[in-house]
Amino acid sequence: MGIGILGGTFDPVHLGHLLAAESAREALGLERVLFMPAGQPWLKAYRGLTPGRHRLRMVELAVADNPAFQAARHEIDRPGPTYSVDTLEALRAELGPGVPLHLILGQDALAEFHRWRSPERVLELCRLAVVPRPGQEASEWLELFTRNSLPAGQVTLLAPGLTGPQVDISGTGIRRRVAEGRSIRYQVTNPVAEYIREHRLYQSATP
Ligand code: ATP
Ligand code: MG
């Protein structure tokens, strides 16, 4: 029971996101996973993001065949920076107090957790579910816990080996490949690849 939330810029959404969401769904027995594209996240304000309507549309295409996955527009519709704490407050108000919320994070996103707005409130509103991301050592997990002063009971570690496979796919890598005219087949779903082609996204490399 419960609802998972996978936040991100989704520029673009890729197989790494889908596998992480599916691992969390299965491990936690989630009813649904919401894919929540960010509006203009403050941590990434330094780089030009693809307009929200494209990022949202690609998420819609990627999850269309899975009734347990859903695109959510809470953040994308808001002007200016959005904070997870505000999104979680809105979801909590919408769903009522009884529904467990699980914020799904890649290991790299957990490393930034101490820089978030109101991390203590975030931990009151939801539990964190952390998925491993290739390239990060298992030994770093303990350090992340300490640095973020995370109460163990509020965090589920979907440890490598216990859940699904991990893939070393990233939005950055995909944008670079498209700009270089290389293949992104099997890194994104076919409808997403088609959308990127049709709208000529990522033609020039972003930093
Ligand atoms: P970028 O390279 O632009 O940062 P990204 O691939 O990291 O793109 P995000 O939208 O930043 O994608 O990530 C959203 C969430 O999904 C984060 O919590 C991130 O850790 C997680 N995530 C992204 N890719 C993977 C992956 N390959 N495996 C596991 N988790 C992932
Ligand atoms: Mg990222």
Side-chain angles (χ1 to χ4, degrees), residues 19-163:
L19 283 168
E22 181 64 2
S23 286
R25 187 200 61 76
E26 184 184 56
L28 301 168
L30 302 175
E31 211 173 288
R32 320 182 251 153
V33 177
L34 305 179
F35 286 60
M36 181 79 67
Q40 185 68 41
W42 61 279
L43 285 175
K44 283 193 181 174
Y46 54 87
R47 108 169 147 76
L49 280 181
T50 302
R53 68 192 156 87
H54 288 312
R55 293 183 289 111
L56 176 67
R57 188 63 196 131
M58 289 189 281
V59 169
E60 287 171 350
L61 290 169
V63 302
D65 64 352
N66 186 342
F69 288 179
Q70 214 176 307
R73 51 193 314 155
H74 295 70
E75 296 190 359
I76 208 114
D77 284 342
R78 271 199 230 175
T82 37
Y83 301 97
S84 298
V85 67
D86 299 328
T87 307
L88 289 163
E89 296 277 13
L91 281 171
R92 180 51 80 209
E94 221 173 283
L95 299 165
V99 182
L101 296 178
H102 299 265
L103 193 62
I104 304 163
L105 295 175
Q107 205 176 343
D108 60 312
L110 182 68
E112 303 272 0
F113 186 73
H114 64 289
R115 294 170 62 196
W116 288 19
R117 175 174 280 196
S118 318
E120 307 79 14
R121 180 65 185 145
V122 168
L123 290 170
E124 284 170 12
L125 288 160
C126 69
R127 294 175 53 102
L128 305 184
V130 184
V131 292
R133 197 166 178 178
Q136 276 170 311
E137 293 301 318
S139 59
E140 289 170 22
W141 290 64
L142 188 62
E143 195 216 319
L144 287 179
F145 260 80
T146 319
R147 194 189 326 155
N148 290 302
S149 346
L150 291 173
Q154 274 306 97
V155 187
T156 312
L157 295 179
L158 303 175
L162 292 179
T163 53

